Amino acid sequence: MGNWKVQKTYEEINARIKSGEAVVVTAEEMVAIVRENGPEEAARKVDVVTTGTFSPMCSSGAFINFGQSNPTIKATKVWLNGIPAYAGLAAVDVYLGAAELPEDDPLNKVFPGEFRYGGGHVLEDLLAGKKILLKATAYGTDCYPNKAIEKEITLEDLPYALLMNPRNCYQNYNCAINLSEKTIYTYMGTLRPNGKNANFCSAGELSPLMNDPLYKTIGLGTRIFLAGGIGYVGWHGTQHNPAALRLENSTPKRPAGTMMVYGDMKHMKARWLKGISMQGYGATVAVGIGVPIPILNEEMAGFTGVSDEELVTQIVDYSYDYSHGVARNYGEVTYAQLKSGSIEVNGNEVPTAPLSSVVRAREIANTLKEWIEKRDFTLVEPVQTLPDK
Amino acid sequence: MYARIYVFRFPKETSDKPIICKLVKEYDVEFNILKATILPQHEGLMVIELMGHKKNVRNALDYLKTFGVIIEPLSTIIRRDEDKCFQCGACTGICPTKALFIDRPSMAVLFDPDKCNGCGLCVTVCPVRAMEVSLLQSVSTLP
């Protein structure tokens, strides 16, 4: 541990939460507090900073146990509302991925495809309390003789449903443009030709990992807001890259860290988990996540005081460079510029549009703040923080 | 100057009559046709912007009604489903008239139906399909 002028422990902060004395602010509010008071004084004043993000996160899904039938079945193929779920697990366990599509989906045969319904939509429908049609087939064994079942399920009926997302909450992301001469349809949205628009996808100063850039407080066991319920950080997510280029304030200028998160779906809400369709690309899901950051010292106060003006990303061409692994960018821009509605690329003014909802990110940070203020939510010290190298 | 976008639905027996040109000639109303599906002996559909003195536009609309043309302001047939929309903003990059726009600094994604020209680009760009343009459905059901 560093030699800090202000030093607080998780126990001390939790004791203040329990006694109703904790000072909790959102990452947006923290910007002004640090500017006015400096990190040291801010660290004395503030105990917890809440963050939030609500945006498409393809690497998401759920482990579902759908309960046994009579006679019993060892399901080998399973569909939920026509969406295949991975069944290579125990008898009635499946994993349903957010990006999974129906087997008879027209995909991109008529380009650009619509991708109206996929795994993410099933997850949203489950949270909305809707009935889902489950079909399963099997080859039959002595202990599991049934070869096919079909039944309606609801989240309430399911013995077990765990949202388990292998990669969420990307710490920073590219700003996408299209320098080709035709419109392209990407996971970063529809990009008009000749760099006529630019899309970006981060909550910027509200984004969880932007407020703990070196993963000093986030790791295995961190309790979080996940899709309207309580979740936990499992471990770093796939493609976690702490070695990404960074600014002097330690925040990455490129896509960097990621988190694997999980939580009981039975406490989640459809408002915070939305099945989405990206034209020409596929189906996926938008996930709402909020992470509380304990202000253990002036370093954490400084980190959480970071503003959109001090956060930077790169502009990447998605018509050729991204799809061909060309490590090239068309400049760097701050999130303040991106959120202003226009940036400059190659000397031209280009309008920007976000894919990540700032309004909802703010609502998540405020909700988490309320939970903590009402003493419903305390902080967990991670067993192991996310890898920083 | 009064300017407003309307949707006209023409009865099938009007398809062979010159009607729109009269708006200029008789009523001093300028127009800009944004979309038209007019086929012989079928109900016709037109999305059109009318510009001129408010009184002239009103008289022109009364004239159209004598042919049995059904008139609706475009803004009444385009809707955003507020439960579905999570205000991401993806639509704002593609909307040509800035009817879908971002309020700053709140970053709220807003919709101004009066600015919408009914192009329908937002319908498929919206990740949660929150935009409903009933006009498009009527066009696609035409033969």
Side-chain angles (χ1 to χ4, degrees):
Chain A
M1 289 290 117
N3 201 6
W4 307 109
K5 290 186 185 139
V6 182
Q7 292 197 34
K8 287 185 242 179
T9 64
Y10 284 80
E11 290 73 25
E12 285 163 2
I13 292 174
N14 279 334
R16 287 172 62 76
I17 292 173
K18 291 263 171 62
S19 65
E21 291 166 7
V23 176
V24 188
V25 302
T26 69
E28 275 183 331
E29 293 163 343
M30 189 64 169
V31 173
I33 295 172
V34 173
R35 267 187 202 158
E36 279 165 34
N37 303 277
E40 190 188 323
E41 196 49 35
R44 283 185 223 281
K45 283 187 173 172
V46 177
D47 297 305
V48 184
V49 169
T50 58
T51 62
T53 182
F54 191 59
S55 74
M57 302 191 194
C58 294
S59 213
S60 299
F63 280 109
I64 291 170
N65 176 291
F66 54 86
Q68 263 303 352
S69 305
N70 187 4
T72 53
I73 187 166
K74 175 181 171 310
T76 48
K77 295 214 162 175
V78 174
W79 298 263
L80 294 162
N81 275 358
I83 311 295
Y86 178 74
L89 301 164
V92 290
D93 281 353
V94 291
Y95 184 79
L96 175 69
E100 192 66 58
L101 294 163
E103 284 157 348
D104 58 356
D105 195 279
L107 307 172
N108 264 337
K109 288 189 185 91
V110 179
F111 191 77
E114 291 203 56
F115 305 100
R116 286 177 159 265
Y117 197 83
H121 296 88
V122 178
L123 297 174
E124 181 186 347
D125 283 348
L126 276 169
L127 294 185
K130 291 185 186 165
K131 283 182 184 159
I132 307 289
L133 180 65
L134 180 142
K135 288 184 188 177
T137 58
Y139 49 81
T141 71
D142 286 343
C143 44
Y144 295 110
N146 208 335
K147 289 188 180 169
I149 59 162
E150 198 171 311
K151 63 177 179 180
E152 278 185 336
I153 55 161
T154 63
L155 181 60
E156 200 184 352
D157 304 335
L158 289 173
Y160 183 96
L162 183 81
L163 192 73
M164 167 69 102
N165 306 345
R167 187 203 322 146
N168 278 181
C169 254
Y170 234 122
Q171 184 183 28
N172 212 347
Y173 213 78
N174 297 330
C175 168
I177 53 164
N178 164 22
L179 294 177
S180 77
E181 283 167 7
K182 63 179 177 59
T183 298
I184 61 170
Y185 301 88
T186 73
Y187 68 83
M188 288 298 286
T190 301
L191 299 170
R192 294 162 64 208
N194 305 312
K196 282 286 191 300
N197 69 331
N199 285 351
F200 67 102
C201 191
S202 170
E205 66 190 24
L206 274 164
S207 178
L209 288 175
M210 286 295 209
N211 284 280
D212 185 2
L214 301 176
Y215 330 113
K216 302 254 180 179
T217 71
I218 300 176
L220 201 165
T222 299
R223 185 181 289 134
I224 60 171
F225 171 110
L226 179 58
I230 301 285
Y232 295 88
V233 175
W235 193 216
H236 61 284
T238 57
Q239 298 184 21
H240 177 75
N241 177 23
L245 278 177
R246 285 172 193 266
L247 293 169
E248 227 167 86
N249 65 19
S250 300
T251 61
K253 301 199 284 179
R254 307 282 182 270
T258 67
M259 307 187 327
M260 189 268 267
V261 301
Y262 60 91
D264 187 349
M265 283 185 75
K266 299 208 176 196
H267 305 295
M268 296 178 185
K269 292 180 179 66
R271 178 174 164 76
W272 299 110
L273 193 83
K274 291 262 185 194
I276 63 176
S277 309
M278 298 304 289
Q279 188 182 17
Y281 170 73
T284 174
V285 73
V287 187
I289 295 180
V291 179
I293 303 197
I295 305 305
L296 302 173
N297 49 47
E298 56 267 38
E299 183 186 41
M300 290 316 298
F303 284 153
T304 50
V306 77
S307 72
D308 285 331
E309 289 85 23
E310 301 157 292
L311 297 172
V312 166
T313 191
Q314 61 176 347
I315 302 163
V316 174
D317 167 46
Y318 271 64
S319 68
Y320 185 85
D321 290 358
Y322 180 85
S323 48
H324 293 82
V326 179
R328 169 168 56 181
N329 69 55
Y330 289 85
E332 291 177 344
V333 281
T334 68
Y335 277 93
Q337 289 169 317
L338 287 166
K339 287 183 183 176
S340 79
S342 85
I343 55 171
E344 204 182 289
V345 186
N346 291 339
N348 299 318
E349 194 179 307
V350 177
T352 58
L355 299 177
S356 178
S357 173
V358 177
V359 173
R360 290 292 189 94
R362 187 179 298 130
E363 194 180 330
I364 289 169
N366 277 315
T367 304
L368 193 47
K369 178 178 161 176
E370 271 170 41
W371 287 357
I372 298 170
E373 284 172 345
K374 282 187 193 155
R375 311 175 208 186
D376 293 336
F377 188 106
T378 53
L379 308 191
V380 175
E381 180 169 5
V383 173
Q384 180 84 52
T385 52
L386 299 182
D388 58 2
K389 331 187 162 48
Chain B
M1 175 75 111
Y2 177 83
R4 186 84 22 121
I5 301 170
Y6 293 94
V7 178
F8 295 162
R9 288 169 209 277
F10 294 87
K12 53 185 174 184
E13 54 276 12
T14 60
S15 64
D16 57 351
K17 294 194 177 74
I19 295 175
I20 295 297
C21 59
K22 294 279 201 297
L23 303 186
V24 181
K25 213 173 162 193
E26 310 286 339
Y27 295 94
D28 195 21
V29 170
E30 290 177 28
F31 62 82
N32 180 20
I33 298 174
L34 301 167
K35 185 176 281 176
T37 311
I38 311 283
L39 295 165
Q41 292 308 308
H42 283 293
E43 188 182 280
L45 187 137
M46 185 178 283
V47 180
I48 184 168
E49 185 174 20
L50 300 185
M51 292 155 284
H53 196 283
K54 193 170 181 178
K55 200 177 83 195
N56 292 346
V57 172
R58 202 181 306 135
N59 290 340
L61 294 177
D62 286 343
Y63 163 76
L64 290 166
K65 283 177 194 160
T66 64
F67 293 93
V69 177
I70 298 164
I71 298 163
E72 295 167 279
L74 181 72
S75 53
T76 61
I77 60 167
I78 293 188
R79 207 175 79 80
R80 180 168 81 168
D81 185 328
E82 301 297 337
D83 287 336
K84 282 188 187 168
C85 173
F86 68 95
Q87 299 192 46
C88 68
C91 54
T92 62
I94 218 76
C95 176
T97 63
K98 305 238 184 311
L100 286 155
F101 65 102
I102 291 180
D103 175 66
R104 297 186 164 82
S106 75
M107 295 299 284
V109 181
L110 305 178
F111 176 52
D112 180 353
D114 288 335
K115 285 194 185 151
C116 173
N117 71 359
C119 74
L121 283 175
C122 54
V123 176
T124 44
V125 161
C126 174
V128 289
R129 300 293 149 92
M131 297 305 295
E132 291 165 8
V133 184
S134 51
L135 170 74
L136 296 180
Q137 285 148 18
S138 7
V139 170
S140 62
T141 55
L142 284 171

